[in-house]
Amino acid sequence: MNIVLLGAPGAGKGTQAQKLVQEYGVAHISTGDLLRAAVKAGTKLGVKAKGYMDEGKLVPDELVVDLVKERLEAEDAQRGFILDGFPRNSAQAVVLDSALAEMGKNLDAALLVDVKADVIVSRLSSRRTCKECGYTAPAGTDKCPTCGGEMYQRDDDKPETIQKRLDVYETQTSPLVEYYRGKDMLKVVDGDRPVDEVYADVKELLAL
Ligand code: AP5
C-alpha cells in the first residue's frame, strides 16, 4: 500500500492514517510531524521551519523534500507508506513522482478526505495533539490514549492561523486533486462523518 493522503487542514488525514498504520503496519510519513519534531529538537531545519509553520505558510520545498526522500528509503517504508501532508504543491508532486521512479516504486492511490471549511474550523480549534507521539484527539482528552503523553494545542490551531492555512490549501494544495485525477489515481471519501464510518469507506476505496 503506497498512498498519498490529500485534504484540507483538519480534514482527518492524520486520523485515518493512524488507523491504517495500526491495522496494516505501513509507515506513516507525515511532513507536519517530521517538521514539528525538528522544531522540538531545535535542529537547523527546525529553526528555519518554525516561523513559516506558526504563520500557517508552507515551509520552503527544499527543507521538506529531503526529509521525505530519507523517510521513503527507511526500512519501515518498504512494507508500504502513507504520505500525509506531502505533496503540498505541484512542485512537490513532481519531485515525488521522480523520487518514486528512481526507487522503482509506484503510488497506488491519492485519497482525498473531503470536508467543508466550516467543519474544519471547528475541528481544528478544538484539536489537541500529543507532545510525545503526535496523536490527535478532540479537546477534553488530557492524556494521550496511545503513549500517555501530555496533550496540547498546536500553535497553528489558533483561529487566525487556521484561516491562513485554509487559504494556502485552496491556492497551493487543492490543484493536486486534478493532478491525481488526471493520472486516474484519485479516490474521494466524505470525511464529514464519524471516524469509523470514514475508515470503512477508506478501506473499501483502497480495496483493503
Ligand atoms: P500538517 O501537520 O500537515 O497539518 P495539516 O495538513 O494542516 O493537517 P492537520 O494535521 O492539521 O490535519 P489532519 O487532516 O491530519 O486532521 P486530523 O486527523 O488531525 O502541517 C502543519 C504545517 O507544517 C503546515 O502549515 C506547513 O507550515 C508545514 N508543512 C507540512 N507539510 C509540508 C509540506 N509538504 N510542504 C511545506 N510545508 C509543510 O483531525 C483534525 C481534528 O479533527 C482532530 O482533533 C481529530 O480528532 C478530529 N477528527 C478527525 N476526523 C474526524 C471525524 N471524522 N469526525 C470528527 N472529528 C474528526
Side-chain angles (χ1 to χ4, degrees), residues 27-151:
H28 180 196
I29 305 180
S30 156
T31 41
D33 286 352
L34 291 170
L35 290 166
R36 278 184 290 280
V39 170
K40 191 175 169 198
T43 64
K44 258 191 198 168
L45 185 150
V47 171
K48 284 188 194 159
K50 186 176 186 324
Y52 296 97
M53 296 173 78
D54 287 351
E55 285 182 42
K57 295 178 181 165
L58 292 188
V59 169
D61 293 346
E62 63 270 22
L63 297 183
V64 181
V65 161
D66 287 347
L67 277 179
V68 172
K69 284 187 183 168
E70 199 179 309
R71 276 300 283 114
L72 284 170
E73 278 163 1
E75 203 184 318
D76 65 332
Q78 308 318 308
R79 287 192 301 275
F81 58 80
I82 300 166
L83 275 167
D84 169 5
F86 188 96
R88 209 59 165 234
N89 58 30
S90 313
Q92 292 182 7
V94 171
V95 168
L96 177 64
D97 286 346
S98 60
L100 290 176
E102 271 173 33
M103 290 175 211
K105 292 178 195 283
N106 287 314
L107 277 182
D108 299 316
L111 177 72
L112 170 66
V113 184
D114 196 21
V115 176
K116 292 191 182 62
D118 53 338
V119 176
I120 278 168
V121 174
S122 113
R123 277 189 193 176
L124 288 182
S125 330
S126 72
R127 171 170 62 179
R128 297 297 176 268
T129 302
C130 176
K131 272 190 176 168
E132 304 307 322
C133 72
Y135 185 89
T136 56
T141 317
D142 299 329
K143 289 263 173 248
C144 173
T146 57
C147 77
E150 188 190 334
M151 305 294 281

Side-chain angles (χ1 to χ4, degrees), residues 159-203:
E160 57 285 7
T161 319
I162 291 172
Q163 191 50 53
K164 175 73 192 165
R165 288 164 64 201
L166 284 170
D167 295 344
V168 167
Y169 175 77
E170 270 315 311
T171 55
Q172 300 191 51
T173 311
S174 68
L176 295 182
V177 171
E178 290 313 314
Y179 180 82
Y180 286 111
R181 201 193 304 274
K183 288 174 169 279
D184 207 16
M185 271 185 196
L186 186 73
K187 315 264 181 203
V188 183
V189 66
D190 174 3
D192 190 8
R193 290 169 305 139
V195 171
D196 287 339
E197 277 183 32
V198 178
Y199 186 55
D201 278 7
V202 165
K203 292 208 295 184

